[in-house]
Amino acid sequence: MELTAGQQEQLIEEGYVRLPGAVPADLVARARRAINASLGERGIDPEQLPIYRARSYCPELQHDSVITDLYNASKAREIAEAAIGPGKVRQIGGGQIALRFPTMSDPRPPHPHIDGMYTPTNGVPPGTIANFTALVGVFLSEIPHDDMGNFSVWPGSHRTLQAYFREHGPQSLLEGFPPVELGEPLQLHAAPGDAVLCHYQLAHGIAGNGSPFVRYGIFFRLAHVEHESVHWECMTDIWREWEGISRPGTLPGGTG
């Protein structure tokens, strides 16, 4: 499995690509059953909610095959490895179980961020940037409309941030999210088994959930096997770790 020419162009231009039906229905059902069983048996400690939201719900399942098979045994893995390079992606350690529950207040708009920045609840040590290569999201529930806890993206923001880090240095991210103009976010719709492949540096966020339904999503953070050696450089050369992607030298903010 590889990205089509159109999908590769979208990934280069917009920083993400949708992968409809990438995960088999039986794996989706197995994961949802395990998550719901965990919630039913263990419940949710209200004092742990900030950590669950930032890191993962049902942490005892994160490294179980019922979760990791959503990536390891699906087309999502084949496509991601074709884009980053055969044999060039580290084995995943687990997945983030990201549930977004309905709220009774009006749904809030998504707020942009990129992963790996310190917060008091996400486990990233202060003074570090825990960046990586790619983010893969797998959706386990129907998300047909906006404001259902949608995973949201700012198309093209990976290039905007590349240009900012070239001017100010990638370590400037330690001072907070860059003050750049990103345009309007796009709330992604999905069906169970759909996936999305995103460049690490794509600004993204989560919309509020004004629906009656819980949004089920699992996120996998992929790193190139040589990521540590280009930990900072890949933030100013955004396709450096993507050996299966034609390096775009003519795009605004591109690798030149």
Side-chain angles (χ1 to χ4, degrees):
M1 295 293 298
E2 296 183 357
L3 293 173
T4 65
Q7 288 174 320
Q8 183 172 153
E9 181 179 0
Q10 182 187 9
L11 181 61
I12 291 169
E13 291 273 8
E14 300 187 355
Y16 77 99
V17 64
R18 305 177 199 228
L19 307 174
V23 181
D26 61 323
L27 297 184
V28 170
R30 192 165 68 112
R32 278 195 60 162
R33 179 182 179 183
I35 293 168
N36 288 339
S38 173
L39 295 174
E41 293 169 1
R42 295 170 178 265
I44 299 176
D45 180 355
E47 294 186 0
Q48 295 298 311
L49 270 175
I51 292 177
Y52 290 161
R53 291 190 188 108
R55 301 187 195 182
S56 180
Y57 287 86
C58 310
E60 79 282 359
L61 294 178
Q62 282 188 268
H63 309 289
D64 193 286
S65 63
V66 75
I67 297 300
T68 57
D69 278 356
L70 295 168
Y71 174 75
N72 286 331
S74 76
K75 294 177 183 176
R77 177 179 181 172
E78 298 174 25
I79 292 172
E81 292 197 349
I84 296 170
K88 298 297 185 178
V89 182
R90 290 182 194 165
Q91 184 176 355
I92 60 166
Q96 176 192 7
I97 301 169
L99 308 180
R100 294 296 176 256
F101 291 89
T103 62
M104 296 307 296
S105 57
D106 291 338
R108 56 171 178 74
H111 182 74
H113 72 279
I114 58 176
D115 291 347
M117 300 175 64
Y118 162 80
T119 74
T121 56
N122 69 1
V124 175
T128 64
I129 297 297
N131 62 357
F132 45 92
T133 305
L135 180 69
V136 170
V138 175
F139 303 104
L140 309 184
S141 56
E142 292 280 356
I143 314 169
H145 307 295
D146 285 2
D147 299 326
M148 297 184 68
N150 308 57
F151 180 75
S152 304
V153 298
W154 278 259
S157 55
H158 60 313
R159 294 185 284 121
T160 300
L161 292 172
Q162 174 182 241
Y164 183 88
F165 294 138
R166 284 181 172 181
E167 181 178 354
H168 300 276
Q171 291 87 348
S172 63
L173 189 58
L174 292 167
E175 302 169 8
F177 190 81
V180 294
E181 178 58 46
L182 297 178
E184 293 298 316
L186 175 66
Q187 297 190 31
L188 299 188
H189 301 171
D194 289 355
V196 61
L197 171 64
C198 305
H199 192 284
Y200 160 75
Q201 217 150 282
L202 180 73
H204 59 277
I206 303 298
N209 189 352
S211 79
F213 308 107
V214 179
R215 190 222 68 182
Y216 292 74
I218 312 295
F219 290 90
F220 301 96
R221 290 161 175 83
L222 312 183
H224 191 281
V225 293
E226 298 175 359
H227 178 72
E228 292 307 318
S229 66
V230 292
H231 170 66
W232 295 115
E233 289 89 338
C234 63
M235 294 175 70
T236 56
D237 185 1
I238 57 176
W239 301 110
R240 181 163 181 168
E241 297 180 305
W242 297 72
E243 298 176 18
I245 297 295
S246 300
R247 293 166 67 87
T250 58
L251 296 175
T255 53

